[in-house]
Amino acid sequence: MEHRIDGEKKYREVMEMSFYESLLNNHSYLEVCYQIEQMKFITDGKWDWEHGLGHYQRVAMYAKKILEQLGADERIIDLGMVAALLHDIGLCKGKKVNHALESSNLFIEFIHDIEITEMEKEMLGQAIRDHSDGNDIKSLIGLSLLLADKLDVTYHRTQNSSIQDDTNQQIQKIRSVDIHITDTDLILMYEVESGFDIMVLNAWKKAITIPKKVSKYLEKNFIFMVNGCVIDYQTLFQFK
């Protein structure tokens, strides 16, 4: 009888978990995250930015904040956070794969314990498939994942990099990135250490171009701020 009670208690606890929490308790998922964390992902011969569980969880927190500001319900917020945990899972197939496409093919393997509709599966798959460039935004989940992924450009990403070039050293001076969405504006806010060379963002243009694309999609003004000062990003970076 005692074992039955323990089993029922565990079942209730699992059922009370959010989808996000359930995935973080999935051993198969965590094993794949560990596998990815052992790999190095060199971009254009320069970067081996962190792509493991820490990145996924930070993206999930950004997605949550974005969706809350857009008035999404709890279900959509939960699914957005799940998408964040799964958006780079395809990297387990190797660094030369189309990771967004591979992740959209693999994610289903890790949500067997989640009660989810076919429409929700399609939304997750499409959001993950589109998260790199945002050429086909179709849902709040997709929009939040696209934007959240590009907000994780703080010191966390490069502090353990094996390649400590000037780009990575400058990225480590970005202490926090925040997003504020109002009725009229999408405001991107960086807090950086003194001596930060803002031109380093020319090496990671998506940090600016993707929030700008999302603001246009939402029909809002895009405002970029660094340490409380508005930056004329169009003149500074000379890209659209």
Side-chain angles (χ1 to χ4, degrees):
M1 177 65 75
E2 183 177 344
H3 291 299
R4 180 179 176 183
I5 293 173
D6 289 343
E8 290 176 349
K9 180 181 178 183
K10 184 175 181 180
Y11 175 77
R12 287 197 302 271
E13 289 174 348
V14 170
M15 293 303 292
E16 289 171 0
M17 287 182 184
S18 65
F19 295 164
Y20 174 78
E21 292 169 328
S22 178
L23 189 52
L24 285 177
N25 282 273
N26 182 315
H27 292 298
S28 296
Y29 170 73
L30 294 175
E31 287 176 2
V32 173
C33 290
Y34 178 76
Q35 175 187 340
I36 292 171
E37 287 168 357
Q38 307 313 303
M39 303 168 70
K40 294 295 182 182
F41 299 96
I42 309 301
T43 305
D44 298 328
K46 295 185 295 184
W47 300 339
D48 54 351
W49 286 22
E50 183 216 8
H51 285 84
L53 187 59
H55 170 56
Y56 307 159
Q57 289 182 289
R58 290 192 300 274
V59 172
M61 292 302 106
Y62 280 126
K64 180 177 185 288
K65 184 166 190 173
I66 292 163
L67 288 167
E68 287 176 340
Q69 293 185 57
L70 292 175
D73 61 33
E74 290 185 6
R75 176 84 170 188
I76 292 298
I77 292 172
D78 200 7
L79 289 172
M81 296 175 73
V82 167
L85 290 183
L86 294 166
H87 78 282
D88 279 347
I89 206 70
L91 288 170
C92 68
K93 296 295 184 180
K95 54 193 173 186
K96 293 185 178 181
V97 301
N98 180 331
H99 81 283
L101 179 59
E102 197 65 42
S103 297
S104 71
N105 292 331
L106 283 178
F107 85 96
I108 200 72
E109 297 180 13
F110 302 98
I111 61 171
H112 294 305
D113 297 332
I114 295 176
E115 292 185 12
I116 189 170
T117 67
E118 289 301 318
M119 183 178 292
E120 288 170 339
K121 287 179 186 177
E122 176 57 32
M123 280 197 298
L124 282 176
Q126 197 281 328
I128 292 169
R129 188 163 54 249
D130 191 52
H131 84 265
S132 185
D133 298 308
N135 294 325
D136 191 25
I137 301 171
K138 289 187 175 179
S139 68
L140 284 181
I141 293 172
L143 182 149
S144 66
L145 177 59
L146 169 69
L147 179 54
D149 186 41
K150 306 311 178 291
L151 299 182
D152 192 23
V153 67
T154 59
Y155 65 96
H156 303 87
R157 298 298 303 278
T158 66
Q159 62 183 348
N160 295 316
S161 172
S162 62
I163 304 173
Q164 289 300 325
D165 59 7
D166 183 62
T167 296
N168 282 345
Q169 290 175 9
Q170 289 299 322
I171 293 296
Q172 287 165 39
K173 294 178 183 178
I174 302 175
R175 306 314 295 175
S176 70
V177 177
D178 203 358
I179 192 81
H180 187 49
I181 303 172
T182 71
D183 290 340
T184 58
D185 303 317
L186 187 153
I187 307 168
L188 178 63
M189 297 167 284
Y190 278 42
E191 291 292 331
V192 304
E193 295 178 358
S194 61
F196 172 69
D197 181 5
I198 195 171
M199 298 308 293
V200 73
L201 295 179
N202 269 314
W204 180 237
K205 290 182 171 62
K206 288 183 180 180
I208 303 297
T209 59
I210 292 299
K212 185 175 184 294
K213 177 183 286 191
V214 171
S215 68
K216 184 177 181 180
Y217 180 88
L218 293 172
E219 299 182 339
K220 297 181 186 296
N221 302 313
F222 175 57
I223 300 172
F224 177 44
M225 304 181 71
V226 176
N227 288 353
C229 298
V230 175
I231 303 298
D232 182 0
Y233 64 91
Q234 295 188 79
T235 299
L236 188 63
F237 298 111
Q238 298 183 346
F239 56 76
K240 297 180 179 179

